[in-house]
Amino acid sequence: MSNNNYPLPFLFLLITLSCSFHFSTAKSSTYNVIKFGAKPDGITDSTKAFLNAWTKACSSPYPAAIYVPQGKFLLGTVTFSGNCANKAISITIDGTLIASSNYRVAGKGGTWLRFQHVDGVSIRGGVLDGQGTALWKCKNSNKKNCPTGATTLEFIGSKNIMITGLTSINSQMFHVVFNGCQYVKTQDVNIVAAGNSPNTDGIHVQMSSHVTIIHSKIRTGDDCISIGPGTNSLWIENIECGPGHGISIGSLGWELNEAGVQNVTVKRVTFTGTQNGVRIKSWGRASNGFVRNIFFQDATMVNVQNPIVIDQNYCPNNKNCPGQASGIKISDVTYEDIHGTSATEVAVKFDCSSKYPCNGIKLKDVKLTYKNQIAEASCNHAAGAALGLVQPHSCL
Ligand SMILES: *[C@@H]1O[C@H](CO)[C@@H](O)[C@H](O)[C@H]1NC(C)=O
């Protein structure tokens, strides 16, 4: 009734506006890779189709969505480049992306799926299958001509990234890498590779700040999470780690000029059958890097070989560090509420640089046993304090 009172041009405007809005959301904002020629058969190379869908989403002035339906999509190495016209691209994956079973395709030391200079990208769901088993076999048989292998998923120079519900299996090398990124949130991620697969780190962070990794399961042949130079304000919480090499800051100090690592929190992590629990590791070489303000809180160790370890004398085969002490300065590292079982007698090991001893190491409420006995601690060039119940007896 009251409509009759509106002037006709106004009604027209309303209808036109609502229609165009309706069409623009329906038409231009969701890009299904199938429409771009992707084939869910696991054999047809769908790289071009994915790239074309990305180009559309990236050039959209509005928030855009890419949809990958169920099925297996074969992808070669691909870079999704940024400087997009919008800052909200969501990629929803119901299917599986698989790398070539010929590891020489992606394996020349690169990355399989790379996002570069993107801002506001989210990935939801999906399985990434790096098909790394043949390459691991090559490497484990000590053949000389095996390629390095590819990282499965890498974000470079990007910000405002969100990854949820993603599964990454059988990566050739590292599964997920954040390099030069800010404001990243990763949650409910599931990472799996064989316990004897070489260099299959779960998540690697370097030159990045404000990265959060929560509520995830990581089982690999190398570090569950590795933290490289230039990492600042990293938050890790609620992780199940193992098999693997644990959570490691380092290896650091390979370079003489190297950005430091600071403000890292690792909280509520269960390590099961891992080589290390919480580790800080640096090469025994000159470097001006540092590690400071690190908090390891509420960790459960289940049969872990080195539950708490600082190793500043890393130098495999005694090559490339002739008699040199590490230059990495380690300070203010807190271990609080760390409990469980060690698979070796020495459960706490601080082997610091003779040139720059560790200082401000705090142990608070630590209880680690070895074969139902209190385990042992060993200190070299380490200073700090023990608070509350600390077993093994502190050697600080
Ligand atoms: C330390 O990192 C947390 C996130 O992990 C951040 O919220 C906090 O502001 C950072 N603190 C400093 C002093 O940078």
Side-chain angles (χ1 to χ4, degrees):
M1 286 285 251
S2 60
N3 271 357
N4 291 340
N5 298 332
Y6 285 106
L8 201 57
F10 181 71
L11 276 180
F12 252 112
L13 184 68
L14 261 183
I15 290 163
T16 323
L17 269 180
S18 68
C19 284
S20 65
F21 185 70
H22 177 77
F23 278 119
S24 72
T25 48
K27 222 170 122 188
S28 69
S29 72
T30 297
Y31 303 102
N32 185 330
V33 293
I34 299 281
K35 296 246 167 70
F36 291 82
K39 294 272 184 297
D41 59 9
I43 353 173
T44 311
D45 188 331
S46 294
T47 315
K48 272 223 174 87
F50 275 65
L51 259 181
N52 289 341
W54 170 262
T55 303
K56 280 282 186 189
C58 181
S59 56
S60 162
Y62 310 106
I66 293 173
Y67 179 60
V68 181
Q70 288 190 357
K72 286 189 174 183
F73 297 88
L74 177 66
L75 293 183
T77 57
V78 54
T79 297
F80 301 103
S81 291
N83 300 318
C84 295
N86 71 81
K87 290 183 178 174
I89 298 179
S90 70
I91 303 171
T92 302
I93 309 173
D94 283 336
T96 299
L97 313 189
I98 61 169
S100 169
S101 57
N102 176 0
Y103 53 74
R104 296 192 188 273
V105 172
K108 291 204 186 105
T111 300
W112 175 32
L113 308 168
R114 173 186 282 134
F115 288 83
Q116 176 167 291
H117 305 134
V118 299
D119 184 351
V121 169
S122 65
I123 299 179
R124 209 172 295 271
V127 178
L128 310 179
D129 182 353
Q131 301 239 63
T133 48
L135 178 62
W136 310 337
K137 210 169 159 193
C138 179
K139 288 181 172 179
N140 283 338
S141 67
N142 290 319
K143 283 194 191 135
K144 286 258 149 63
N145 59 349
C146 315
T148 317
T151 289
T152 284
L153 174 66
E154 181 171 34
F155 284 84
I156 300 180
S158 297
K159 59 185 175 185
N160 302 313
I161 304 305
M162 167 97 171
I163 298 179
T164 56
L166 180 78
T167 297
S168 177
I169 62 172
N170 300 335
S171 185
Q172 294 183 359
M173 281 266 289
F174 293 9
H175 285 78
V176 179
V177 171
F178 299 107
N179 187 357
C181 295
Q182 285 107 45
Y183 300 99
V184 174
K185 190 167 181 188
T186 302
Q187 69 179 45
D188 299 309
V189 160
N190 189 14
I191 293 177
V192 191
N196 69 346
S197 56
N199 300 112
T200 52
D201 295 39
I203 300 177
H204 177 76
V205 181
Q206 66 174 38
M207 300 308 292
S208 295
S209 61
H210 300 281
V211 175
T212 302
I213 302 166
I214 54 176
H215 198 248
S216 293
K217 250 192 199 170
I218 306 174
R219 290 164 276 176
T220 73
D222 208 303
D223 296 333
C224 288
I225 299 174
S226 55
I227 299 157
T231 301
N232 182 354
S233 300
L234 169 64
W235 188 276
I236 295 169
E237 184 171 358
N238 196 0
I239 306 291
E240 282 178 41
C241 167
H245 293 183
I247 292 184
S248 186
I249 297 178
S251 307
L252 301 175
W254 172 256
E255 301 286 346
L256 181 60
N257 285 305
E258 194 177 88
V261 172
Q262 57 188 323
N263 188 22
V264 175
T265 300
V266 176
K267 211 173 158 168
R268 287 208 290 147
V269 177
T270 300
F271 298 90
T272 307
T274 49
Q275 186 194 74
N276 308 287
V278 289
R279 172 170 67 168
I280 300 174
K281 174 179 167 192
S282 75
W283 284 84
R285 289 162 59 98
S287 175
N288 62 5
F290 61 83
V291 176
R292 61 183 175 232
N293 298 332
I294 311 296
F295 306 90
F296 296 116
Q297 275 170 342
D298 193 1
T300 303
M301 305 287 171
V302 183
N303 203 29
V304 172
Q305 288 172 46
N306 306 291
I308 293 178
V309 55
I310 296 180
D311 174 10
Q312 292 208 263
N313 293 296
Y314 180 62
C315 195
N317 310 320
N318 285 319
K319 254 168 77 183
N320 302 313
C321 20
Q324 292 197 59
S326 172
I328 300 286
K329 297 168 197 68
I330 298 179
S331 60
D332 298 314
V333 182
T334 300
Y335 302 86
E336 187 178 340
D337 209 352
I338 315 279
H339 46 89
T341 56
S342 174
T344 67
E345 206 156 7
V346 179
V348 177
K349 185 176 173 187
F350 298 126
D351 189 8
C352 295
S353 167
S354 55
K355 203 163 173 199
Y356 301 99
C358 299
N359 65 72
I361 308 287
K362 278 180 223 81
L363 290 164
K364 186 170 184 245
D365 299 325
V366 172
K367 190 175 179 192
L368 294 163
T369 58
Y370 168 65
K371 290 188 173 167
N372 293 321
Q373 314 270 331
I374 296 172
E376 287 179 16
S378 120
C379 290
N380 248 323
H381 313 290
L387 297 158
L389 176 79
V390 174
Q391 292 178 341
H393 275 298
S394 165
C395 53
L396 293 166

